[in-house]
Amino acid sequence: MEDDAERDGYRAEMAQASSDTSIQATKSKKRRSKDRSRTATPSVEVPTTDGNTQDLLRNTAKRRKSISNPGSIYANTLHSAGHTVLNRLAEHLGYAGFRKERELGNGLVSRPAITGSTGDWTLWQSTSYMNESGKGVRAAHTAWSKHIPVAEAGKLVVIYDELEKAMGVVTLRTNQGASAKGHNGLKSIMATLGNNVALARIGVGIGRPVSRDSNDVAQYVLKKMTPAEKAKIEVSVEEVVAKLKQLEKG
């Protein structure tokens, strides 16, 4: 357990990381102001949920979302670990590639080729910046919920990067109202959904630098993963599947 000072430090560090992200996104927008093809807005990846499942109960509708920052600048960074895990999960399940769906909050979606073959999961990736993840998650969840058969239940799970845990370590939290521990993506989702939607969280550890300086932490989470780091993140998919099976059992 972290003490209060450490938690406060963590919140400040992640706020700084989000600020750096916004600055970089603004510069990027200026450089590409003539490019009308951009789909993500710099105003803002589990589950979802963000997260990142498998040989699970087939008769229950489920949604997994991952949150991250969009664009090539942030691809394969530690702060995008949620997307990395979800991509690996789709491959693991043999799902179709991710494609954009306007109805589901303009997110990237992957589903099984044959419903019920490997679990009726819907994998969704946020295309918003981290600190505005909640808008897309709410829109996607609202649209998705309308298609759940009356006799079935839906689960919303957000997969995200967890700074305070060792690289690749997976944690599951189901207690509602638990602290976001400074993670801007989780804070956005929790604030947007409120208490209306039950939310499970699967965190994938990304380690942390020795320094507690906010600038050092920001540089750390936004740096590209090394091959060794990416391998540890991707291997965590097996544990993510185990956590999801645990959720299935209630």
Side-chain angles (χ1 to χ4, degrees):
M1 297 292 291
E2 300 168 317
D3 58 27
D4 291 340
E6 184 171 289
R7 289 186 178 181
D8 290 341
Y10 176 79
R11 294 191 181 97
E13 290 161 1
M14 293 310 295
Q16 179 64 44
S18 177
S19 175
D20 288 356
T21 296
S22 298
I23 292 172
Q24 292 184 48
T26 301
K27 291 180 179 177
S28 176
K29 182 178 180 182
K30 289 180 179 179
R31 289 197 300 269
R32 298 187 299 234
S33 61
K34 295 181 180 180
D35 183 357
R36 303 295 183 183
S37 65
R38 297 179 66 194
T39 57
T41 58
S43 59
V44 92
E45 208 220 46
V46 54
T48 104
T49 30
D50 270 129
N52 298 217
T53 279
Q54 221 105 316
D55 191 17
L56 314 182
L57 297 183
R58 298 175 180 176
N59 296 323
T60 302
K62 315 111 184 161
R63 168 170 287 281
R64 302 292 172 259
K65 301 185 178 184
S66 65
I67 52 178
S68 176
N69 283 309
S72 60
I73 294 176
Y74 305 108
N76 293 316
T77 61
L78 289 172
H79 209 25
S80 296
H83 279 8
T84 298
V85 171
L86 206 66
N87 286 334
R88 181 69 189 89
L89 179 61
E91 295 175 2
H92 186 72
L93 294 172
Y95 281 15
F98 284 89
R99 61 185 179 85
K100 192 170 185 178
E101 289 194 17
R102 180 177 297 180
E103 179 189 10
L104 297 184
N106 278 325
L108 300 177
V109 180
S110 176
R111 297 186 179 89
I114 301 175
T115 301
S117 60
T118 53
D120 187 15
W121 303 98
T122 298
L123 308 182
W124 184 94
Q125 290 185 337
S126 171
T127 55
S128 299
Y129 283 93
M130 190 68 83
N131 62 329
E132 287 190 4
S133 300
K135 295 178 182 179
V137 169
R138 181 176 61 186
H141 183 266
T142 299
W144 169 78
S145 297
K146 295 177 181 178
H147 300 290
I148 301 176
V150 176
E152 297 183 1
K155 292 181 180 294
L156 174 63
V157 182
V158 175
I159 297 178
Y160 64 101
D161 60 293
E162 192 160 25
L163 184 64
E164 294 295 336
K165 298 297 181 181
M167 192 73 64
V169 170
V170 176
T171 59
L172 170 64
R173 293 183 178 85
T174 57
N175 50 322
Q176 302 305 303
S179 171
K181 295 186 177 180
H183 193 290
N184 289 309
L186 285 178
K187 287 194 289 185
S188 176
I189 293 171
M190 293 166 68
T192 304
L193 294 179
N195 297 319
N196 298 320
V197 179
L199 176 68
R201 295 154 41 177
I202 292 181
V204 179
I206 60 171
R208 67 166 302 135
V210 175
S211 172
R212 294 278 171 167
D213 180 80
S214 59
N215 290 325
D216 292 339
V217 173
Q219 290 179 12
Y220 175 80
V221 301
L222 295 176
K223 76 179 183 70
K224 297 288 186 180
M225 286 184 279
T226 66
E229 289 171 337
K230 187 174 183 179
K232 286 185 178 181
I233 295 298
E234 290 182 333
V235 167
S236 72
V237 167
E238 298 294 339
E239 183 60 24
V240 168
V241 169
K243 298 298 185 187
L244 290 170
K245 287 183 177 180
Q246 182 179 334
L247 286 173
E248 281 289 342
K249 295 177 181 179

